[in-house]
C-alpha cells in the first residue's frame, strides 16, 4: 500500500473545530501548524495560542495527553503563510461563511505547496463553488472534508469531491484519514449538508414535529430515541444541546436556502422552540442552557408552553420499553398498531426516516451503504435507516409507509421511488449496496488501505462473516475460542460477557500457549468488539467463596497467576490486541504479554480498589519489575515506583492509549493503532515480525525491591491523605497492602526476589481482603448496583 506521506498539516482556523482537528492530528503524531487571524494586541499568533491552551481544558478531552498541545505550532495569516509550503495537507476550518472562505483561499493560494491537498471542513457549503476561488492548478487537489464534532471521538469523516477533483488525490486523502486518523470515510455528493447532516437534521426536525403532534416532553423523547431505539444515548434534544442550537439552526438554514424544490421543504421550517431558545441565548451545552439546564445536581428541561425550565427525568412507558425489545419486524408492527402515543410517535419518526432516505438516496449518495454508515458513525445509530428497514421486512415496511403517505400521515406526499417496489428484499447484499443512480449494487471500496481491515465493520444484509464463526477452530469452551485464519498465528478470543475472566478464560489462555508452542508462530489475544476484558468475574467466584471462603479462592488466583507467567515466558511471542476496556484482570493479561497493540481509544487500568481488592493477577508484580528495569543499578527504587503505585492505589484508568502509556500500562515499544478495524492486522504482523527477528522469551526476572523503608515512606504520605479526608480508612488499608507488594514486603532495600515471590504477596493480601467486611460491601455494592461504593 502506497501511503500519502503527510509530514505536516496546516489547519486554517483556530475555532472549536479547527483546534480540535489539530488536536487529533497530534494525537496520531502528525505535526500541525494552526493558523488564525493576527491578534491586535500581544503576540501576532495570540488567537491560535489561546485556542491551543484551551484544548487542555475541554471535556471530553480532545487530546490523548494534554502535554501534546505543545506539539501544535501557532501561526497567523499575516506573518506565517510561507509555512504552508512545508505542509502536505491544508485543512480549512474557518466559520461557515462563503465570502470569508473565498477571501482566505485567495490569500493562501500562492503559498500552497505544488503537491499539497487542500480540503475544506465545511458542514454543508457547496464544495464546487468553493473550488472556483482557487487557481486551476489547485482545483484537482481540492475537496471537502467534513469532520464530526468532537473530531477525536466521532468516527465519521465525509469526503466530498468536486467535478475537478482528481480521483488519485481523493484516494490518497481517504487512505490517510482511514489508517492514520482512524476514521470511517464516507464519500458524499456535493449536495446541501452532504449525507449525515442532511438525513440527521431532517430526522431531528421530524422528531420535533412528531413530538409536538403527540404531546411528548423533551425528556420522554430523549428516553425513547436514545439507546432504547438503538441510537446515541443522548437521544434527540440532548444531542442538539451538545451540537449547539446555533449550529443546528445554521444547518437548517442551509436546507432552507438551497432546497426549495425538495418535497420535504415545508418540514425544514425552523421550529419555534429553537428560535425561542436561541433568542434567549440558550445555545445548548456551551451556554449551560438549551433544551436542558443543570441547576445544582438537578437537570431541568425547557417547557415550551410556559417558557420556563421544569424538573426533567420522565421516562418511556413500560409497554413501549417492552415493544422496543422485540425483533425488528414485530417491533415495527407493534409500534404502528399501538394506540399508545409514545409508540405512535416512534413509528412516525421511523416511517419519516424511511420515507426521507428512499426519496433522496439517488441525489445524496452513491449507494445506500454510504447513508447507513454515515448515520452510524455521525449520529451514533446502531443501525442505519436502510438496515433497519431491510431487517424488519422490506416489502411489508414499504407497504406501511406507502399507506401512511396516501393517508396524509407522512411529512410530505412524495411517493416512494419505483425501485422500492421492484420485488427486492432490501438494499444491502453480499455483492454490494443499491445505487438508484446507477441501477446496480455497488461493491465496497477496493482501496488497498481496506486490506488492513481483516473484519471491517459491515451492514446487516451485506453477508459479512462473523469473526468468531470463521477460520479454523482449535479449541473452544464457554469463555474462549482459539482459532487461526492463516495457519500461522493463533488467535485467542475471549467470548464471555464483557470478556470477564473466569476459569474458562484461564484454561483457554494456557491452552493457547500450549497449542502455539506446538505448531504456530505465536498468539494474538483479540476480540471483535470494544472490550478487551473488564476484569475478573467476581460473580462466578461467589459460590466458591460462600462454600469455602478465601481458602477456596486462593487456588483459582494461583492458577491465574501461573497462567500469566505462562504467557510471559512462552516460547512464542504473545501479543495483546487491546481495544476499549482493559480493566483489572484484563489489564493484567495485557501486561503479561510480550507486546501490546492498542487502539487509540483504549481505557486501561488496575481498578480492583473500586471493589475493595487489590490486583492479584501479576499487575503489582509488573509494577515492581518495571521499576527495577527502569532504575539504574543500585539506585533508590521509590521514585520509579511512585507513579505506578499511585495509579493502582487510586484505580486510575488511562483514558486513551497515549495516557495509558504515560501511566506505564503501555511501554514505548508497544504500538498504538488509530483505526479499530486495523488492530488484528497489526497485531498479527507484530507476531510475525518478532519471529522473523529471532524471538526468544525473556530470562526469568530477578527483581531488586524497594523494601520496608519505602513502604514506611509511602504509608506516611497515605496517613496525610487519610487524615485530610482525601481517602477513607479502608482506602488507606488497601493502599498500604499495595505498597507492601510493590516494595517487596518486609525486606531490605535491594533484596532480589522472583515474580513468584511477589505474586504470593498479591495472593495473600487479595485473599485477606476478600474476608474484610468493608471489601465485601464494595464488591456486593458493585454487583448489585453497577456503581462503586466508597466506604
Amino acid at each position: 500500500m502506497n501511503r500519502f506521506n503527510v509530514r505536516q498539516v496546516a489547519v486554517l482556523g483556530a475555532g472549536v473545530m479547527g483546534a480540535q482537528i489539530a488536536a487529533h492530528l497530534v494525537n496520531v503524531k502528525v505535526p500541525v501548524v494552526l493558523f488564525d487571524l493576527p491578534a491586535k494586541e500581544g503576540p501576532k499568533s495570540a488567537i491560535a495560542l489561546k485556542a491551543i491552551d484551551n484544548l487542555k481544558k475541554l471535556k471530553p478531552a480532545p487530546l490523548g495527553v494534554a502535554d501534546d498541545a505543545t506539539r501544535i505550532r501557532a501561526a497567523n495569516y499575516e506573518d506565517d503563510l510561507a509555512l504552508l509550503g512545508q505542509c502536505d495537507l491544508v485543512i480549512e476550518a474557518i466559520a461557515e461563511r462563503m465570502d470569508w472562505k473565498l477571501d482566505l483561499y485567495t490569500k493562501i493560494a500562492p503559498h500552497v505547496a505544488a503537491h499539497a491537498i487542500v480540503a475544506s471542513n465545511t458542514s454543508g457549503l457547496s464544495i464546487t463553488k468553493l473550488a472556483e476561488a482557487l487557481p486551476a492548478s489547485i482545483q484537482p487537489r481540492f475537496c471537502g472534508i467534513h469532520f464530526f464534532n468532537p473530531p477525536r471521538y466521532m468516527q465519521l469523516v465525509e469526503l466530498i469531491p468536486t467535478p475537478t477533483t482528481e480521483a488519485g488525490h481523493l484516494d490518497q486523502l481517504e487512505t490517510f484519514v482511514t489508517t492514520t486518523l482512524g476514521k470511517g470515510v464516507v464519500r458524499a455528493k456535493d449536495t446541501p449538508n452532504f449525507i449525515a447532516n442532511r438525513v440527521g437534521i431532517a430526522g431531528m426536525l421530524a422528531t420535533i414535529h412528531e413530538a409536538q403532534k403527540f404531546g411528548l416532553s423533551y425528556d420522554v423523547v430523549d428516553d425513547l430515541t436514545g439507546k432504547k431505539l438503538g441510537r446515541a444515548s443522548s437521544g434527540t434534544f440532548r444531542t442538539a444541546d451538545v451540537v449547539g442550537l446555533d449550529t443546528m439552526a445554521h444547518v437548517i438554514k442551509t436546507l432552507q436556502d438551497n432546497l426549495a424544490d425538495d418535497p420535504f421543504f415545508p418540514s425544514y421550517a425552523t421550529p419555534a422552540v429553537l428560535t425561542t431558545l436561541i433568542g434567549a441565548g440558550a445555545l445548548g451545552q456551551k451556554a449551560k442552557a438549551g433544551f436542558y439546564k443543570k441547576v445544582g445536581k438537578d437537570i431541568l428541561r425547557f417547557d415550551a408552553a410556559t417558557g420556563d425550565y421544569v424538573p426533567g427525568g420522565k421516562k418511556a412507558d413500560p409497554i413501549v420499553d417492552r415493544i422496543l425489545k422485540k425483533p425488528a419486524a414485530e417491533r415495527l408492527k407493534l409500534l404502528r398498531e399501538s394506540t399508545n402515543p409514545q409508540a405512535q410517535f416512534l413509528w412516525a419518526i421511523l416511517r419519516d426516516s424511511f420515507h426521507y432516505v428512499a426519496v433522496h438516496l439517488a441525489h445524496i449518495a452513491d449507494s445506500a451503504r454510504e447513508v447507513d454508515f454515515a448515520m452510524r458513525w455521525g449520529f451514533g445509530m446502531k443501525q442505519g435507516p436502510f438496515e433497519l428497514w431491510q431487517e424488519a421486512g422490506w416489502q411489508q415496511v414499504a407497504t406501511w409507509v406507502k399507506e401512511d403517505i396516501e393517508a396524509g400521515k407522512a411529512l410530505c406526499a412524495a411517493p416512494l421511488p419505483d425501485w422500492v417496489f421492484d420485488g427486492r428484499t432490501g438494499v444491502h447484499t453480499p455483492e454490494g449496496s443499491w445505487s438508484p443512480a446507477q441501477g446496480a449494487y455497488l461493491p465496497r471500496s477496493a482501496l488497498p488501505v481496506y486490506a488492513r481491515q481483516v473484519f471491517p465493520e459491515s451492514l446487516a444484509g451485506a453477508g459479512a462473516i462473523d469473526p468468531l464463526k470463521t477460520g479454523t477452530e482449535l479449541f473452544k469452551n464457554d469463555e474462549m475460542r482459539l482459532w487461526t485464519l492463516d495457519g500461522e498465528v493463533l488467535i485467542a478470543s475471549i467470548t464471555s460477557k464483557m470478556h470477564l475472566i473466569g476459569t474458562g478464560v484461564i484454561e483457554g489462555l494456557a491452552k493457547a500457549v500450549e497449542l502455539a508452542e506446538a505448531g504456530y508462530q505465536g498468539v494474538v489475544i483479540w476480540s471483535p468488539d470494544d472490550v478487551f476484558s473488564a476484569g475478573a468475574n467476581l460473580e462466578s467466584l461467589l459460590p466458591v467463596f460462600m462454600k469455602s471462603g478465601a481458602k477456596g479462592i486462593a487456588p483459582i488466583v494461583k492458577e491465574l497467576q501461573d497462567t500469566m507467567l505462562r504467557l510471559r515466558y512462552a516460547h512464542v511471542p504473545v501479543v495483546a490486541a487491546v481495544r476499549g476496556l482493559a480493566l483489572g484482570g484484563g489489564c493484567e493479561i495485557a501486561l503479561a504479554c510480550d507486546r501490546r497493540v492498542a487502539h487509540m481509544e483504549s481505557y486501561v487500568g488496575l481498578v480492583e480498589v473500586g471493589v475493595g481488592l487489590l490486583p492479584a493477577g501479576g499487575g503489582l508484580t509488573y509494577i515492581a519489575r518495571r521499576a527495577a528495569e527502569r532504575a539504574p543499578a543500585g539506585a533508590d527504587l521509590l521514585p520509579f515506583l511512585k507513579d505506578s503505585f499511585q495509579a493502582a492505589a487510586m484505580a486510575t484508568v488511562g483514558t486513551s492509549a497515549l495516557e495509558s502509556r504515560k501511566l506505564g500500562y503501555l511501554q514505548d515499544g508497544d504500538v498504538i493503532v488509530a483505526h479499530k478495524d486495523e488492530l488484528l492486522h497489526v497485531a498479527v504482523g507484530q507476531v510475525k515480525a518478532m519471529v522473523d527477528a529471532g524471538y526468544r522469551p525473556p530470562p526469568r526476572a530477578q527483581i531488586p525491591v524497594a523494601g520496608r523503608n519505602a513502604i514506611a515512606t509511602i504509608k506516611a504520605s497515605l496517613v496525610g491523605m487519610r487524615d485530610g479526608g482525601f481517602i477513607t480508612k479502608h482506602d488507606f488499608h488497601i493502599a498500604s497492602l499495595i505498597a507492601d507488594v510493590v516494595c517487596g514486603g518486609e525486606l531490605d532495600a535491594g533484596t532480589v526476589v522472583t515474580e513468584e515471590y511477589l505474586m504470593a504477596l498479591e495472593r495473600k493480601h487479595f485473599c485477606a481482603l476478600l474476608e474484610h467486611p468493608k471489601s465485601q460491601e464494595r464488591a456486593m455494592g458493585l454487583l448489585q448496583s453497577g456503581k462503586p461504593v466508597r466506604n
Side-chain angles (χ1 to χ4, degrees):
M1 182 183 77
N2 293 324
R3 290 179 183 265
F4 173 41
N5 188 12
V6 180
R7 293 160 294 187
Q8 184 166 254
V9 175
V11 177
L12 312 181
V16 173
M17 283 300 292
Q20 292 200 52
I21 291 169
H24 188 59
L25 285 160
V26 296
N27 284 338
V28 295
K29 307 307 178 192
V30 177
V32 182
V33 184
L34 180 63
F35 283 83
D36 211 295
L37 296 167
K40 295 178 181 178
E41 297 179 357
K44 274 286 188 68
S45 299
I47 295 174
L49 285 167
K50 183 179 180 181
I52 293 168
D53 187 59
N54 193 49
L55 288 170
K56 304 173 189 176
K57 307 167 190 174
L58 293 178
K59 298 293 180 184
L63 291 159
V65 176
D67 293 348
D68 279 353
T70 59
R71 296 176 181 268
I72 304 172
R73 180 174 180 177
N76 67 83
Y77 301 128
E78 191 171 294
D79 297 339
D80 302 312
L81 286 178
L83 293 174
L84 292 172
Q86 302 170 22
C87 297
D88 305 295
L89 173 62
V90 178
I91 300 174
E92 172 270 302
I94 68 170
E96 293 285 273
R97 283 273 301 268
M98 181 70 76
D99 53 339
W100 291 359
K101 290 179 185 284
L102 297 181
D103 179 63
L104 180 60
Y105 291 179
T106 302
K107 288 180 182 177
I108 67 167
H111 304 278
V112 173
H115 69 283
I117 293 175
V118 181
S120 174
N121 180 66
T122 174
S123 61
L125 297 179
S126 169
I127 303 300
T128 301
K129 188 171 180 180
L130 289 172
E132 293 169 358
L134 289 164
S137 60
I138 295 181
Q139 288 183 11
R141 294 178 276 125
F142 179 76
C143 65
I145 183 169
H146 182 206
F147 288 85
F148 273 63
N149 191 24
R152 171 184 162 186
Y153 301 95
M154 296 301 289
Q155 190 175 354
L156 179 63
V157 170
E158 293 175 315
L159 294 184
I160 309 97
T162 74
T164 56
T165 304
E166 284 188 1
H169 292 305
L170 203 64
D171 290 348
Q172 287 180 323
L173 186 57
E174 181 167 349
T175 297
F176 171 75
V177 171
T178 300
T179 198
T180 304
L181 301 189
K183 299 303 178 185
V185 171
V186 165
R187 294 198 184 187
K189 296 184 179 181
D190 189 12
T191 55
N193 293 338
F194 314 128
I195 298 174
N197 273 345
R198 175 75 174 270
V199 175
I201 296 299
M204 292 176 79
L205 289 170
T207 299
I208 294 172
H209 170 80
E210 302 291 1
Q212 186 174 359
K213 176 180 173 182
F214 289 100
L216 304 182
S217 60
Y218 305 135
D219 47 1
V220 169
V221 170
D222 278 351
D223 191 47
L224 288 167
T225 60
K227 285 188 175 180
K228 292 174 181 177
L229 199 63
R231 298 184 178 181
S233 59
S234 52
T236 300
F237 296 102
R238 280 192 179 83
T239 297
D241 276 355
V242 171
V243 169
L245 303 192
D246 52 341
T247 301
M248 183 178 174
H250 172 79
V251 178
I252 292 170
K253 191 173 188 304
T254 303
L255 297 174
Q256 295 167 350
D257 291 346
N258 295 281
L259 294 171
D261 295 333
D262 188 326
F264 286 81
F265 184 78
S267 70
Y268 299 152
T270 304
V273 64
L274 195 63
T275 303
T276 299
L277 288 169
I278 292 173
L283 304 180
Q285 187 171 282
K286 59 189 173 187
K288 303 189 185 305
F291 286 104
Y292 296 93
K293 180 179 181 180
K294 189 173 183 181
V295 179
K297 294 183 178 180
D298 297 325
I299 303 294
L300 307 181
R301 65 168 173 83
F302 186 69
D303 185 333
T306 64
D308 293 327
Y309 285 90
V310 300
K314 291 183 180 178
K315 301 292 184 181
D317 290 343
I319 189 172
V320 179
D321 276 347
R322 291 195 292 273
I323 291 174
L324 291 176
K325 293 174 182 176
K326 302 288 186 182
E330 185 179 358
R331 184 192 326 149
L332 266 59
K333 183 176 188 294
L334 289 170
L335 290 174
R336 186 169 188 265
E337 294 176 353
S338 174
T339 57
N340 182 290
Q342 294 181 13
Q344 292 176 335
F345 159 77
L346 287 173
W347 163 251
I349 63 170
L350 292 172
R351 175 204 63 218
D352 295 341
S353 70
F354 300 149
H355 188 191
Y356 192 88
V357 294
V359 168
H360 290 100
L361 175 57
H363 310 292
I364 64 173
D366 288 335
S367 77
R369 176 175 50 251
E370 283 71 35
V371 172
D372 279 349
F373 274 141
M375 299 314 295
R376 274 198 194 185
W377 297 338
F379 278 78
M381 292 185 175
K382 188 177 179 181
Q383 287 182 305
F386 285 119
E387 283 186 282
L388 175 58
W389 183 351
Q390 181 166 333
E391 184 183 352
W394 184 270
Q395 291 301 328
Q396 177 62 78
V397 173
T399 300
W400 289 338
V401 175
K402 180 175 182 288
E403 290 172 356
D404 278 14
I405 294 170
E406 293 172 349
K409 296 179 180 179
L411 289 176
C412 77
L416 291 172
D418 291 342
W419 58 264
V420 170
F421 297 102
D422 64 4
R424 68 180 56 247
T425 57
V427 290
H428 301 304
T429 70
E431 293 73 37
S433 294
W434 178 249
S435 169
Q438 298 188 36
Y441 290 94
L442 303 186
R444 295 186 72 153
S445 171
L447 280 179
V449 68
Y450 293 113
R452 295 170 58 84
Q453 299 180 12
V454 184
F455 297 104
E457 188 171 342
S458 189
L459 299 167
I465 299 171
D466 182 344
L468 297 180
K469 294 181 180 177
T470 189
T472 301
E473 187 167 284
L474 308 170
F475 172 84
K476 186 177 183 181
N477 63 25
D478 290 341
E479 297 180 2
M480 285 209 70
R481 180 182 191 244
L482 308 182
W483 53 292
T484 182
L485 278 171
D486 59 6
E488 297 179 353
V489 175
L490 187 150
I491 302 168
S493 298
I494 305 174
T495 57
S496 54
K497 183 179 179 180
M498 294 296 289
H499 302 173
L500 294 175
I501 302 166
T503 55
V505 171
I506 298 171
E507 177 194 23
L509 290 173
K511 189 70 173 177
V513 174
E514 176 190 329
L515 291 172
E517 288 180 336
Y520 294 87
Q521 292 190 28
V523 179
V524 169
I525 304 172
W526 171 87
S527 298
D529 54 23
D530 284 323
V531 180
F532 179 75
S533 170
N537 189 342
L538 295 179
E539 195 170 4
S540 72
L541 296 177
L542 274 177
V544 179
F545 182 74
M546 295 300 290
K547 181 180 179 181
S548 307
K551 289 183 179 179
I553 302 296
I556 299 174
V557 177
K558 177 67 163 60
E559 187 180 5
L560 174 64
Q561 293 175 336
D562 290 345
T563 301
M564 296 299 190
L565 291 174
R566 188 81 175 89
L567 291 175
R568 173 160 164 71
Y569 294 109
H571 291 283
V572 294
V574 181
V575 173
V578 178
R579 172 178 162 193
L581 300 178
L583 305 177
C587 174
E588 291 175 304
I589 290 174
L591 296 178
C593 294
D594 294 291
R595 188 164 296 170
R596 287 139 294 277
V597 176
H599 178 233
M600 176 69 71
E601 295 305 323
S602 295
Y603 305 90
V604 185
L606 298 170
V607 296
E608 285 84 352
V609 170
V611 290
L613 301 171
L614 54 66
L620 300 183
T621 299
Y622 169 87
I623 289 173
R625 176 171 61 80
R626 286 292 294 151
E629 290 171 350
R630 288 161 46 225
D636 179 9
L637 289 166
L638 186 56
F640 298 90
L641 282 170
K642 184 178 177 183
D643 290 345
S644 296
F645 160 78
Q646 184 171 318
M650 301 298 289
T652 305
V653 175
T655 55
S656 69
L658 298 174
E659 190 177 4
S660 297
R661 175 176 278 163
K662 191 174 181 181
L663 291 171
Y665 296 130
L666 298 179
Q667 298 179 25
D668 289 343
D670 293 335
V671 180
I672 296 176
V673 175
H675 201 294
K676 62 184 176 61
D677 292 336
E678 294 186 2
L679 197 62
L680 180 58
H681 168 84
V682 175
V684 168
Q686 289 291 306
V687 167
K688 293 183 176 182
M690 292 164 76
V691 171
D692 285 346
Y695 176 80
R696 289 290 182 272
R700 288 277 172 173
Q702 298 292 309
I703 305 168
V705 295
R708 63 173 67 88
N709 289 341
I711 297 171
T713 302
I714 292 173
K715 288 179 75 171
S717 67
L718 291 172
V719 167
M721 295 179 70
R722 180 196 64 196
D723 293 349
F726 296 103
I727 61 174
T728 68
K729 288 182 180 180
H730 196 50
D731 290 331
F732 173 84
H733 177 59
I734 299 172
S736 298
L737 297 180
I738 291 173
D740 190 65
V741 178
V742 299
C743 295
E746 292 297 320
L747 299 174
D748 293 332
T751 302
V752 175
V753 301
T754 64
E755 287 163 298
E756 287 85 354
Y757 168 84
L758 292 171
M759 285 182 171
L761 282 179
E762 288 183 355
R763 190 165 65 251
K764 170 188 169 184
H765 294 323
F766 180 88
C767 290
L769 285 169
L770 281 175
E771 303 278 11
H772 199 294
K774 291 287 187 182
S775 288
Q776 291 173 5
E777 282 180 21
R778 290 193 183 189
M780 292 307 298
L782 186 69
L783 289 174
Q784 290 170 2
S785 69
K787 297 178 181 178
V789 174
R790 191 164 186 261
N791 56 4

